[in-house]
Structures are given as structure tokens and as C-alpha cells.
Amino acid sequence: TVLAQCFAVSSWITSLMSVTSCFYIFVRPIPEEGQPEMPREGFGYISRQIGPMEPPAYRQCAWYEPDEKEQFFRGDSMWNAGKAMSALAVGVGF
């Protein structure tokens, strides 16, 4: 039973981290032919990594603006399903 409790607590912690982290997934934009590679950008379910010279909303993250969220995640069912499952895991674990 101790092992099951440790697993439940660690699952809740990692689910909470995946929901709140702005570094959940990193994306490197594909450069045009002959252009230098761009740096990686961090994205999370509720926030993203701050851009250069952009003030952070919390830690090193910035909340998504509604139009920005629509631009990035419109029609991405895997992203929406992952967000829903992480939120469900946090809610059930709590």
C-alpha cells in the first residue's frame, strides 16, 4: 500500500507540473532555406516561455492571450486531449 500511495502522490505532482509548466514542450521553428536556426520556444497548457525583452507574468512564463492561444492550438485535438487528461489527473488526485 505504501508503494501505491507513493505512486499516487508522484502522479499528482507530475500532472500538476505538466499543467502549470510553461516548458512542457519545446518547439524549434523550421528556418527558411539559408536562414540560421531559431532558438527553441517553450510552450505549456496555460502559459508559454517569455520572448526576448518581454516581462514575465510569473516565473519565466507569460499567460496566453486569447488570440495567441487560438493561433497556436486551433484544431489540435492531441494538445486539447492532453490538457484535459492532465487537468483530470490533478482534479482526481486532489
Side-chain angles (χ1 to χ4, degrees), residues 9-48:
V9 169
S10 64
S11 296
W12 183 78
I13 290 171
T14 55
S15 295
L16 184 63
M17 287 172 49
S18 74
V19 169
T20 60
S21 174
C22 62
F23 302 107
Y24 182 66
I25 188 170
F26 283 101
V27 176
R28 183 182 306 269
I30 299 172
E32 296 292 326
E33 187 68 33
Q35 298 293 322
E37 281 193 6
M38 301 292 289
R40 296 184 316 164
E41 298 178 30
F43 293 93
Y45 288 128
I46 59 175
S47 61
R48 61 170 173 75

